[in-house]
């Protein structure tokens, strides 16, 4: 590891020289004046004075050398559609969408909210937004009206771009009704809604507000829209992530730092090369979709696969067919998806020619050793774990293959990435802990380029949430437990807060609790995340009914559980739905009234309940155990 150790050490000891070198991986319309301004910690400003544009770096700059090479490969097993766009064709489409946005009054700094399925038009809208200096906020298409409304009110978009419907496992998921309801719930109303009609579901239009996207694009068919050159620290996008309160956090990303971080990670972490093909199975509603479906691969001059579908339709070999057909070099997925594939015939792993594939990268939740071994041996390819967050935008911990071929350790995402000063701290005392000792995974400031600049519209929340949680320290907390071995490899052990990880999707238990509490029959509720062999974690709710007589028999409990699950679906979307709702007479709390969520979680997972000296009513734990033992 001598080569990588030196590389990492230099990134921390000489950050300005190190990152100036990395900044040469992207184009600047005006040169960088100062690499790092850390004069107002914990805020960091990278590449100040430099002017650049994400769309230029992702599309325009590749036209001289690779205009006719594939840039965007769209595959939908839901609609049986496949289409490849070259860099020149992608450039034309993005210019058309940019012209539409400008014609509708979108200006530099305005927000464009994108609520769309995995279709090319969603990527056109993202690239068009940053092309004209607007700030996009992509909301996952599976989110329900209540969640969408909170994001509309926080981002206050001038334009919303959406579609009639998405599709999942052959079932249509209508979007327009959800969007209309969200706009009705929100206090902020967009000026216009651009609708892409896929012909999948009815799309009632509100006159004067709603516009057919295809018709608008035809009016600007030959448009050429210049890039708006932004100072490096101007925002590029907002991406919402769950927090420990019911109010989601709008992670704000800059422009220049993000472009450099992605360009560097494509080279050093993923080993991507211009002219190659990158396939990430994520969704653009999540950070992996932003960084490694849209911007990272395109900035690197690679073709990116945009996939609408599941890993098992039409069969469990669909991903491997895509790799063979499009000569994919690098694949990025999640452990949950691989665990789904483990249930399929293992012969499917060998049906297609995978000679083009260099490595499979996995992230989103901890990767267990049996799953890693199964897929590695089945494909005959390296399986590379990595660990990061919505807030950081690119890996915190990995084995940077482009620098040195570090050995993998099953169960570990690797070592600290260059630019990150990763440390472990005692949660109670704030003391830094050494190797082989459990601690809170934290990063000493300043955060490297590409990480969040702040929380949208709330600098104070950014500081208080991330930088003041380790006692006596001003360090960025990941809110994850971890341990580091003597070789510098980290092992992630789970969350320290009330955010759970369901199949790579971060969900705040408070959001789910607030949704369940809105049911008229519920007095109180606690939601915890428990370990699940397939999804990593699942949410389980324990509820106290206002009228205990309403949940005395199995039929009553089943009926109320069904009502609650539908309510969560309608407010937060299916991704947030608990796997079960159990009914109890009282919830375990401390004498000061604090819910003992970790104790509940331990009981659910069959572990020791831990220190119970502060519990108010020990019989509450017996009720939790009894509820778990009751089938309905």
């Amino acid at each position: 590891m001598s080569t990588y150790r030196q590389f990492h050490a230099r990134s921390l000891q000489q950050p300005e020289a190190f990152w100036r070198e990395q900044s040469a991986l992207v184009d600047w319309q005006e040169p960088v004046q100062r690499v790092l301004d850390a004069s107002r910690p914990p805020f960091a400003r990278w590449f100040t004075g430099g002017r650049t544009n994400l769309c230029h770096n992702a599309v325009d700059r590749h036209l001289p050398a690779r205009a006719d090479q594939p840039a965007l490969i769209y595959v939908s097993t839901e609609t049986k559609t496949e289409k490849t766009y070259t860099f020149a064709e992608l450039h034309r489409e993005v210019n058309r969408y940019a012209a539409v946005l400008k014609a509708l009054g979108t200006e530099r700094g305005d927000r464009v909210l994108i609520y769309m399925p995995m279709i090319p038009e969603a990527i056109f809208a993202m690239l068009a937004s940053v092309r004209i200096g607007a700030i996009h906020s992509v909301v996952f298409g599976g989110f329900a009206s209540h969640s969408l409304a909170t994001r509309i009110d926080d981002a206050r978009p001038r334009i919303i771009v959406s579609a009639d419907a998405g599709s999942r496992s052959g079932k249509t998921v209508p979007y327009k009704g959800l969007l209309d309801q969200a706009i009705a719930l929100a206090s902020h109303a967009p000026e216009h809604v651009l609708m892409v009609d896929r012909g999948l579901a009815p799309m009632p239009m509100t006159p004067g507000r709603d516009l057919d996207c295809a018709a608008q694009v035809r009016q600007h068919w030959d448009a050429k829209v210049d890039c708006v050159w932004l100072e490096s620290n101007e925002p590029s996008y907002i991406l919402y992530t769950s927090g420990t309160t019911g109010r989601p956090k709008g992670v704000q990303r800059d422009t220049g730092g993000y472009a450099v971080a992605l360009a560097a990670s494509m080279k050093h972490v993923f080993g991507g090369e211009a002219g190659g093909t990158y396939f990430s199975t994520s969704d653009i509603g999540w950070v992996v979709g932003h960084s490694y479906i849209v911007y990272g691969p395109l900035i690197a001059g690679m073709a990116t696969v945009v996939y609408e579908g599941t890993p098992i339709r039409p069969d469990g070999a669909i991903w491997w067919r895509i790799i063979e057909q499009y000569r994919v070099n690098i694949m990025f997925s999640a452990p949950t998806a691989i665990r789904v594939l483990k249930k399929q015939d293992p012969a499917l792993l060998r049906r297609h020619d995978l000679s083009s594939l260099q490595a499979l990268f996995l992230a989103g939740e901890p990767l267990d050793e049996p799953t890693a071994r199964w897929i590695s041996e089945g494909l005959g390819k390296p399986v590379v774990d990595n660990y990061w967050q919505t807030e950081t935008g690119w890996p915190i911990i990995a084995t940077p293959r482009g620098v040195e071929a570090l050995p993998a350790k099953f169960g570990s995402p690797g070592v600290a990435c260059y630019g990150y000063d990763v440390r472990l701290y005692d949660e109670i005392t704030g003391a830094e802990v050494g190797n082989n000792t459990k601690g809170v995974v934290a990063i000493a400031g300043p955060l490297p380029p590409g990480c969040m600049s702040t929380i949208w519209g709330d600098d104070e929340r950014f500081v208080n949430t991330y930088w003041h949680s380790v006692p006596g320290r001003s360090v960025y907390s990941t809110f994850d437990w971890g341990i580091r071995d003597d070789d510098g490899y980290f092992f992630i052990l789970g969350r320290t807060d009330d955010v759970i990880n369901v199949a790579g999707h971060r969900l705040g238990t408070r959001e789910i609790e607030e949704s369940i509490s809105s049911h008229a029959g519920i007095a109180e509720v606690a939601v915890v995340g428990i370990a699940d062999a397939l999804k990593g974690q699942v949410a389980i709710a324990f509820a106290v009914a206002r009228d205990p007589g309403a949940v005395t028999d199995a039929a009553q409990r089943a009926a109320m559980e069904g009502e609650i699950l539908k309510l969560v679906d309608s407010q937060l979307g299916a991704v947030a739905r608990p796997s079960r709702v159990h009914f109890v007479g009282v919830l375990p709390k401390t004498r000061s009234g604090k819910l003992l969520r970790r104790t509940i979680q331990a009981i659910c997972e069959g572990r020791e309940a831990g220190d119970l000296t502060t519990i108010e009513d020990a019989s509450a734990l017996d009720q939790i155990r009894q509820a778990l033992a009751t089938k309905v």
Side-chain angles (χ1 to χ4, degrees):
M1 285 177 58
S2 59
T3 301
Y4 180 68
R5 280 203 178 101
Q6 292 171 4
F7 191 80
H8 180 260
R10 183 166 179 266
S11 74
L12 300 186
Q13 295 164 9
Q14 303 174 39
E16 298 199 26
F18 179 89
W19 286 109
R20 184 173 289 281
E21 292 171 4
Q22 305 307 315
S23 71
L25 295 171
V26 303
D27 281 0
W28 299 90
Q29 190 251 356
E30 290 187 13
V32 172
Q33 295 175 10
R34 184 177 178 184
V35 173
L36 171 62
D37 177 2
S39 60
R40 192 167 68 98
F43 299 93
R45 290 167 51 82
W46 286 96
F47 310 115
T48 60
R51 302 178 76 82
T52 189
N53 182 281
L54 278 177
C55 184
H56 167 84
N57 279 289
V59 183
D60 297 55
R61 72 172 178 149
H62 300 302
L63 296 178
R66 56 189 80 258
D68 297 327
Q69 290 184 13
L72 191 156
I73 299 165
Y74 173 57
V75 179
S76 172
T77 52
E78 300 291 334
T79 60
K80 297 179 173 59
T81 304
E82 298 192 25
K83 184 172 181 179
T84 297
Y85 297 82
T86 64
F87 275 98
E89 290 167 336
L90 178 59
H91 182 256
R92 284 194 288 271
E93 294 288 355
V94 171
N95 271 272
R96 292 163 183 162
Y97 273 70
V100 171
L101 292 177
K102 285 179 66 70
L104 295 175
T106 310
E107 298 177 351
R108 179 184 194 148
D110 285 342
R111 274 75 66 204
V112 176
L113 190 142
I114 299 170
Y115 181 65
M116 298 184 79
M118 288 292 289
I119 56 177
E121 290 86 350
I123 285 78
F124 302 160
M126 293 173 71
L127 290 166
S129 297
V130 295
R131 185 176 191 83
I132 63 173
I135 301 166
H136 63 63
S137 179
V138 182
V139 178
F140 176 61
F143 275 3
S145 299
H146 181 270
S147 293
L148 181 55
T150 62
R151 287 151 173 80
I152 291 172
D153 276 340
D154 195 64
R156 303 182 65 82
R158 170 167 278 188
I159 304 285
I160 294 178
V161 186
S162 189
D164 60 334
S167 182
R168 179 76 175 174
S169 300
K171 297 178 181 178
T172 299
V173 182
Y175 283 12
K176 189 54 163 64
L178 294 171
L179 176 58
D180 286 344
Q181 185 179 359
I183 294 173
L185 289 170
S187 59
H188 171 83
E191 293 178 11
H192 291 290
V193 175
L194 274 173
M195 294 298 304
V196 175
D197 189 356
R198 307 180 71 194
L200 297 180
M203 196 174 75
M205 304 288 272
T206 299
R209 186 195 73 186
D210 298 351
L211 301 169
D212 178 75
C213 190
Q216 294 294 312
V217 167
R218 283 194 295 272
Q219 294 178 28
H220 302 277
W221 201 247
D222 298 316
K224 290 182 174 59
V225 178
D226 291 337
C227 290
V228 174
W229 300 98
L230 303 181
E231 198 278 333
S232 177
N233 293 277
E234 291 185 64
S236 59
Y237 68 75
I238 307 164
L239 181 58
Y240 288 91
T241 186
S242 294
T244 55
T245 68
R247 187 163 58 100
K249 305 187 296 288
V251 169
Q252 179 178 316
R253 196 83 67 202
D254 70 3
T255 297
Y258 187 54
V260 173
L262 292 186
S265 71
M266 289 298 297
K267 178 181 179 180
H268 302 312
V269 177
F270 298 99
E273 295 182 357
T277 302
Y278 196 103
F279 178 19
S280 170
T281 66
S282 185
D283 186 285
I284 58 166
W286 311 119
V287 69
V288 174
H290 282 58
S291 293
Y292 298 113
I293 293 178
V294 183
Y295 294 112
L298 291 176
I299 287 172
M302 300 183 75
T304 183
V305 177
V306 175
Y307 177 65
E308 181 186 43
T310 72
I312 56 173
R313 290 184 80 245
D315 59 42
I318 178 58
W319 284 357
W320 321 125
R321 191 269 288 175
I322 291 171
I323 289 173
E324 177 183 43
Q325 181 175 346
Y326 294 105
R327 307 300 294 164
V328 171
N329 306 116
I330 300 169
M331 185 176 181
F332 192 149
S333 191
T336 296
I338 305 304
R339 287 191 280 266
V340 169
L341 290 174
K342 283 178 72 175
K343 299 180 179 181
Q344 305 294 306
D345 183 349
L348 295 174
L349 297 174
R350 298 181 292 275
R351 177 188 291 178
H352 295 280
D353 175 12
L354 304 183
S355 58
S356 65
L357 186 65
Q358 298 165 8
L360 168 64
F361 289 82
L362 296 176
E365 74 243 37
L367 174 62
D368 59 284
E369 183 173 343
T371 298
R373 286 192 184 277
W374 178 82
I375 191 64
S376 178
E377 292 168 1
L379 296 179
K381 301 290 181 178
V383 172
V384 187
D385 197 359
N386 58 112
Y387 161 82
W388 48 296
Q389 301 178 318
T390 300
E391 289 87 344
T392 66
W394 61 284
I396 302 170
I397 299 170
T399 50
R401 296 167 54 84
V403 182
E404 183 179 3
L406 301 181
K409 292 191 180 186
F410 286 119
S412 169
V415 299
C417 266
Y418 54 90
Y420 288 100
D421 187 357
V422 184
R423 305 181 185 185
L424 297 172
Y425 292 95
D426 183 278
E427 182 188 35
I428 305 301
T429 67
E432 188 171 354
V433 302
N435 292 342
N436 306 305
T437 304
K438 176 181 172 181
V440 179
V441 180
I443 303 164
L447 293 177
C451 293
M452 68 187 301
S453 307
T454 186
I455 291 174
W456 174 254
D458 201 340
D459 286 352
E460 183 178 2
R461 189 181 182 196
F462 169 66
V463 175
N464 291 336
T465 299
Y466 293 102
W467 297 89
H468 287 173
S469 68
V470 177
R473 304 278 184 172
S474 181
V475 292
Y476 171 91
S477 176
T478 66
F479 299 102
D480 278 317
W481 293 111
I483 194 167
R484 181 182 55 232
D485 70 12
D486 291 332
D487 295 324
Y489 282 69
F490 287 84
F491 296 78
I492 304 302
L493 306 176
R495 297 292 292 178
T496 67
D497 64 3
D498 299 321
V499 174
I500 62 176
N501 193 324
V502 180
H505 306 323
R506 287 178 63 191
L507 303 172
T509 56
R510 280 286 298 277
E511 288 180 89
I512 304 173
E513 287 171 355
E514 288 180 10
S515 177
I516 294 173
S517 295
S518 69
H519 187 287
I522 298 301
E524 200 174 12
V525 63
V527 173
V528 297
I530 67 165
D532 180 79
L534 178 63
K535 297 182 178 180
Q537 281 186 303
V538 293
I540 288 186
F542 293 88
V544 177
R546 291 187 184 278
D547 176 12
V551 289
T552 53
D553 61 47
Q556 289 176 317
R557 290 194 294 272
M560 186 172 286
E561 182 178 25
E563 292 174 8
I564 289 170
L565 296 179
K566 287 181 181 178
L567 179 65
V568 175
D569 270 5
S570 68
Q571 293 187 350
L572 302 179
V575 70
R577 182 197 305 140
S579 64
R580 284 300 311 272
V581 179
H582 296 289
F583 296 96
V584 293
V586 63
L587 293 171
K589 297 178 182 177
T590 65
R591 286 186 287 275
S592 62
K594 182 180 179 182
L595 273 171
L596 292 168
R597 287 188 179 85
R598 292 186 194 174
T599 302
I600 299 172
Q601 182 188 50
I603 292 172
C604 291
E605 294 181 344
R607 295 183 282 107
E608 289 295 323
D611 183 6
L612 299 174
T613 54
T614 63
I615 194 168
E616 181 180 34
D617 181 359
S619 70
L621 301 182
D622 294 328
Q623 293 196 37
I624 296 290
R625 294 186 181 99
Q626 185 177 351
L628 290 168
T630 304
K631 291 187 177 180
V632 179

